[in-house]
């Protein structure tokens, strides 16, 4: 597994100009504080541009508990699968304003 | 004609005659005087009309005018003897008629008003008569009731008093003040302002006043005057006079005051309950209300009431028998006195004497009867206070007696309940001090060899003083008691030449009794007080009783103490001071003596290293108590050690021991002996009627009681072929050996005890020591067991397979390596995957902290050690740097939050050498707040 910071910058590069980002955490079975920090940073970076991070992670994934402990699940929508997350990300969202 | 008619006729006859007669008279006089033809006569007729009008009123006046007209016109107005006058005559006659008629009218008005005035006058006179009558009555009444009338002319400031007002103001009869000012001087100075204000108000409003005043006491005893006054206004509407009455109301006032006083006195006396307080209250009430000097003599015999209005000097002597009171009363100079008996319920209590001095009061019969009434109430109060006090005293005495009895019982109880001499004396001596209200209590024991007494224990004495006390038998106080064998009461210790320095300094008094056992004095019990003569013969008898108890207890206890000490010594020498330290196996043991340590039981445990990998463990219980049991136990224990070290198998050891027990005498014992191979963890064991050991498996199967290898207890029958059994322990398994005291307790069945043992042994305990504490706590429930309890536990240490210990270089890549290693270990040790993932995450976070926060490490590495203790995983992460509090939180505090949430327990220990973080996680309990 690569360094969390590297993953973060790669993600930002990959995101480009897409409006809302759906991140599928399904295959992930280990997510630690460094990973969480990266997710928080990413969510804030998107929010600043009026965009939204949406997470997809199964209910029984060990990662789900980490999201709950760090309370990221109160900041970004968390869905059980990618399909659901995608429909969420496409629905128009009110501009957060800057 | 009736009477009324006659009166009416009479009423008109007189004026009619006057009305006709008067002009006729005028005519006669005029003719007689030769005044015929003179008009000047008119004046005479005017007079006639005037008279007629005055007498009969207007009607008769007019009649007189008419009657007068005839002679006047005929005889005195020209032309004479003719009724037809000339012009001048007409004018004169007209003037007469008009003038006379007018005069009659005016006079009639005048007369009418005069007549009504007469009527008023008559009415007034009649009223005055009635008034005079009632006044006479009033005066008589006033005279009788010492009421007088008075009048004050305001303008002339003159006073007029009825004669009787003088004496009630201290003046002679008929004497009176000349002016208001003089009157005011007769009024008591304290009441004067009140009177002046009342007068002023009455004058202002033109009303009156009613007031009660005292007279100036300078004349003697002040009298109470009731005065009522009315302001009389003059024709100008201004007050001219003040009239009123005064009455001497001293008696009424006195009766009122007396009633009030008696009521308040009764109340005051009913409040004061104690005797002295009541007597003082009586005196307080009497002076100065009744007397200037007052004395109660509660000793004096029969005496009747005496009244001495004027007390002669030679009579002063009879007032009191108390010399001090006599001086006091003489100094006062009594003027008048009364002596009354104090009686209550037909019982004579004494006498009360009253004397007046300063107030110059002169007692009269009224005062005497009042004093008698007061004395009657005072006597009642005194009597009830006396009764109350007597009752209080009786109650206190009864309570004291009761208290002594209770304490004595306590003393006796001490002797029965105590098990050691120290216990006995610790309780007895303070109780004795309490019982006899003494300052010190001590027990001295006879030292036969030295022929002296030494102080075994004391209450109220310094240890240093106590240690020095040595009294040769036959000398000093205690020595005398010991040699004579008799109780002794010393009222003054200093005169009794005591041997001990503390007693010499002490003075005071002492009582002491010998302590005898089978006729021999074995010691002395004494209590002493700082006060001289503090004790009575009664106390000595009581102490003798206490001493008997003590001696008895002492005898029993010294016997018991000797045995107990021996038994305890034996027992202590038998139990191993330390359990052997053996590789791969942990050992722990507990021994709890039976309740109150009455007697030492025969329980023991032992552990022996038989070889490099062989360990022998034993728990035994010799039936019986005391020295014999302890001695048997010692024999068995020693013998077992010998047989065990010979390498005999458990069953053989038991057989040998059985032979020993058989020859040692009529004693039997239960025993369990086991040999454990610490490498293979095979445990061979044999039981001689002993409760089955409990095997607690670390995982998988339920705990089991090892029922195999059982035979009869030792000493029951000769030549027993003892059975033997074996069990293989797994790493982490625990074997618990115990004596029946653990599972057999009063009120709890053996099955219940075994169940509790099984349950408590399964409750996850980290260390063997903790497990034993838990088991003993659960089974004994914090109480002392009735029987001795011995427990020995052996645990196969799970070290080789159950722990992980690895050190990693301090670099980020180590984290991934650590995680995979730990993950693998957790899986191996049966940790559920999900829980394992959480443990790995928490551990990784802790390791990341170690990398991040450990500054200037002495070793650039960190260690991770993991072990499974029952159902719990414990992980320790250790670094070798100085812990630095994170100033910024690059991970937003996620790391520590994750650790705390994932783990059941987190402990951080930081020191100079580094930091250790301990993480604990149960692998069974689901974590609270786990994912949704």
């Amino acid at each position: 597994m690569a360094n969390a910071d590297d993953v973060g910058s790669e993600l930002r590069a990959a995101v480009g100009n897409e409006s809302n980002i759906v991140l599928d955490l399904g295959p992930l079975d280990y997510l630690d504080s460094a990973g969480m920090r990266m997710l928080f940073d990413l969510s804030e970076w998107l929010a600043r541009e009026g965009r939204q991070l949406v997470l997809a992670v199964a209910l029984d994934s060990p990662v789900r508990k980490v999201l709950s402990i760090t309370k990221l699940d109160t900041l970004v929508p968390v869905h059980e699968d990618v399909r659901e997350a995608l429909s969420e990300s496409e629905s128009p969202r009110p501009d957060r304003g800057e | 004609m009736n009477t009324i008619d006659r009166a009416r006729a009479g009423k008109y006859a007189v004026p009619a005659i006057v009305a006709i007669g008067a002009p006729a008279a005028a005519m006669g006089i005029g003719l007689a005087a030769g005044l015929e033809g003179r008009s000047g006569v008119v004046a005479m007729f005017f007079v006639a009309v005037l008279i007629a009008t005055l007498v009969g009123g207007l009607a008769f006046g007019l009649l007189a005018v008419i009657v007068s007209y005839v002679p006047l016109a005929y005889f005195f107005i020209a032309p004479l003897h003719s009724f037809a006058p000339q012009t001048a005559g007409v004018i004169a006659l007209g003037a007469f008629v008009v003038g006379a008629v007018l005069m009659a009218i005016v006079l009639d008005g005048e007369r009418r008003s005069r007549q009504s005035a007469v009527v008023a006058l008559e009415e007034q006179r009649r009223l005055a008569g009635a008034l005079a009558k009632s006044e006479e009555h009033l005066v008589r009444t006033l005279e009788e009731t010492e009421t007088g009338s008075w009048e004050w002319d305001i303008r002339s400031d003159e006073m007029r008093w009825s004669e009787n007002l003088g004496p009630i103001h201290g003046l002679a009869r008929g004497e009176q003040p000349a002016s208001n000012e003089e009157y005011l001087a007769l009024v008591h100075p304290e009441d004067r302002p009140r009177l002046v204000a009342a007068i002023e108000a009455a004058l202002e409003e033109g009303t009156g006043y009613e007031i009660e005043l005292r007279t100036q006491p300078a004349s003697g005893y002040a009298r109470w005057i009731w005065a009522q006054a009315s302001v009389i206004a003059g024709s100008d509407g201004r007050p001219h006079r003040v009239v009123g009455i005064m009455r001497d109301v001293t008696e009424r006032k006195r009766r009122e005051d007396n009633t009030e006083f008696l009521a308040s006195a009764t109340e005051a006396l009913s409040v004061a309950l104690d005797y002295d307080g009541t007597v003082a209250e009586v005196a307080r009430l009497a002076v100065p209300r009744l007397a200037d000097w007052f004395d109660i003599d509660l000793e004096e015999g029969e005496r009747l009431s005496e009244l001495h209005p004027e007390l002669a000097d030679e009579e002063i002597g009879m007032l009191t028998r108390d010399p001090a009171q006599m001086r006091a009363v003489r100094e006062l100079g009594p003027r008048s006195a009364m002596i009354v008996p104090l009686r209550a319920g037909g019982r004579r209590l004494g006498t009360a004497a009253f004397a007046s001095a300063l107030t110059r009061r002169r007692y009269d019969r009224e005062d005497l009867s009042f004093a008698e009434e007061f004395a009657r109430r005072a006597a009642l109060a005194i009597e009830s206070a006396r009764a109350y006090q007597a009752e209080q005293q009786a109650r206190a005495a009864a309570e004291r007696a009761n208290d002594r009895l209770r304490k004595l019982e306590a003393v006796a109880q001490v002797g029965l309940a105590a098990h050691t001499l120290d216990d006995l004396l610790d309780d007895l001596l303070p109780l004795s001090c309490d019982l006899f209200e003494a300052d010190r209590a001590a027990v001295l024991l006879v030292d036969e060899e030295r022929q002296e007494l030494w102080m075994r224990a004391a209450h109220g004495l310094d240890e240093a003083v106590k240690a020095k006390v040595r009294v040769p038998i036959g000398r000093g106080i205690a020595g005398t008691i010991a040699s004579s064998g008799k109780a002794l009461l010393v009222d003054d210790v200093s005169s009794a030449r005591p041997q001990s320095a503390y007693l010499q300094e002490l003075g005071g008094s002492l009582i002491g009794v010998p302590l005898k056992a089978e006729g021999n004095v074995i010691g002395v019990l004494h209590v002493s007080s700082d006060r001289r003569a503090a004790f009575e013969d009664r106390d000595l008898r009581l102490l003798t009783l206490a001493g008997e108890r003590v001696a008895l207890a002492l005898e029993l206890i010294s016997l018991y103490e000797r045995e107990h000490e021996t038994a305890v010594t034996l027992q202590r020498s038998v139990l191993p001071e330390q359990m052997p330290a053996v590789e791969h196996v942990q050992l722990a043991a507990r021994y709890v003596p039976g309740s109150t340590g009455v007697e030492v039981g025969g329980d023991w445990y032992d552990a022996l290293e038989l070889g490099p990998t062989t360990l022998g463990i034993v728990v035994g219980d010799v039936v019986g108590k005391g020295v014999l049991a302890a001695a048997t136990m010692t024999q068995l224990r020693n013998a077992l050690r010998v047989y065990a070290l010979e390498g005999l198998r458990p069953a053989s050891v038991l057989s040998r021991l059985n032979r020993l027990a058989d020859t040692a005498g009529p004693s039997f014992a239960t025993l369990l002996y086991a040999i454990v191979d610490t490498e293979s963890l095979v445990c061979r064991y044999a039981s001689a009627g002993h409760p089955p050991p409990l095997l607690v498996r670390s995982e998988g199967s339920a705990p089991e009681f090892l029922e195999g290898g059982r035979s009869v207890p030792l000493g029951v029958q000769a030549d027993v072929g003892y059975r033997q059994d074996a069990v293989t322990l797994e790493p982490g398994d625990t074997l618990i050996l115990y004596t029946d005291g653990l599972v057999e307790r009063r009120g709890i069945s053996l099955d219940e005890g075994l169940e509790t043992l099984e349950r408590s042994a399964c409750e996850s305990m980290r260390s063997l020591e903790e497990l034993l504490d838990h088991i003993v706590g659960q089974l004994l429930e914090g109480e002392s067991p009735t029987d001795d309890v011995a427990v020995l536990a052996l645990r196969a240490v799970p070290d080789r397979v159950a722990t992980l210990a690895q050190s990693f270089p301090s670099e980020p890549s180590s984290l991934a390596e650590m995680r995979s290693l730990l993950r693998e270990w957790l899986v191996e040790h049966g940790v559920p995957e999900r829980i394992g993932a959480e443990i790995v995450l928490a551990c990784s976070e802790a390791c990341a902290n170690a990398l991040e926060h450990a500054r200037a490490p002495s070793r650039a590495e960190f260690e991770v050690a993991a072990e499974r203790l029952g159902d719990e995983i414990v992980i320790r992460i250790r670094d070798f740097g100085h812990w630095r509090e994170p100033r910024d939180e690059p991970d937003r505090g996620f790391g520590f939050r994750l650790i705390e949430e994932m783990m059941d327990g987190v402990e951080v220990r930081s020191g100079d050498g580094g930091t250790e973080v301990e993480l604990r996680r149960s692998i069974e309990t689901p974590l609270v707040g786990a994912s949704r």
Side-chain angles (χ1 to χ4, degrees), chain B residues 6 123 296 317 394 475 619 708 832 901:
Chain B
R6 262 204 304 279
E123 182 68 12
I296 289 183
R475 294 173 62 186
V619 165
E901 291 287 330

Side-chain angles (χ1 to χ4, degrees), chain B residues 531-553:
Chain B
R531 289 171 295 130
R532 287 190 181 181
F535 304 106
E536 303 166 13
D537 284 340
R538 204 163 61 110
D539 296 321
L540 199 57
R541 284 200 297 279
L542 217 52
L543 189 66
T544 305
L545 281 173
E548 281 169 13
R549 293 283 192 174
V550 174
L552 191 67

Side-chain angles (χ1 to χ4, degrees), chain B residues 350-403:
Chain B
T351 54
F354 306 79
S356 82
L358 312 169
T359 49
R360 296 205 276 153
R361 173 175 175 162
R362 193 174 171 279
Y363 292 123
D364 54 21
R365 294 227 65 82
E366 187 81 17
D367 292 319
L368 185 67
S369 60
F370 177 60
E372 282 169 347
E373 183 60 29
F374 173 70
R376 199 176 63 77
R377 289 168 194 235
L380 268 173
I382 289 169
E383 180 64 6
S384 71
R386 183 182 268 179
Y388 178 75
Q389 182 164 324
E391 194 223 286
Q392 287 288 95
Q393 281 167 351
R395 182 186 304 217
E399 265 169 21
R400 264 202 308 279
N402 200 17
D403 195 36

Side-chain angles (χ1 to χ4, degrees), chain A residues 40-96:
Chain A
F40 266 87
D41 288 348
L42 182 64
S43 139
E44 279 169 17
W45 176 70
L46 288 170
R48 271 200 298 276
E49 297 177 9
R51 294 191 282 175
Q52 169 84 37
L53 176 68
V54 180
L55 296 177
V57 54
L59 269 182
D60 58 351
S61 164
V63 170
R64 191 103 186 189
K65 185 169 175 178
V66 178
L67 296 181
S68 151
I69 290 170
T70 53
K71 302 209 163 56
L72 183 65
D73 59 352
T74 63
L75 285 180
V76 303
V78 180
H79 294 278
E80 258 187 83
D81 55 50
V82 183
R83 205 157 41 82
E84 203 181 303
L86 280 171
S87 68
E88 161 85 11
S89 70
E90 276 157 17
S91 64
R93 300 192 61 82
D95 194 353
R96 289 195 180 186

Side-chain angles (χ1 to χ4, degrees), chain B residues 585-597:
Chain B
V585 164
Q586 290 175 343
L587 282 171
R590 293 288 180 275
Y591 179 83
V592 186
S595 64
T596 62

Side-chain angles (χ1 to χ4, degrees), chain A residues 30 32-33 37 41 64-65, chain B residues 844-845 890 892 927 932:
Chain A
Y30 180 80
D32 64 5
S33 60
R37 193 179 64 212
D41 288 348
R64 191 103 186 189
K65 185 169 175 178
Chain B
S844 178
E845 295 290 349
R892 307 181 189 222
L927 208 71
R932 303 175 268 169

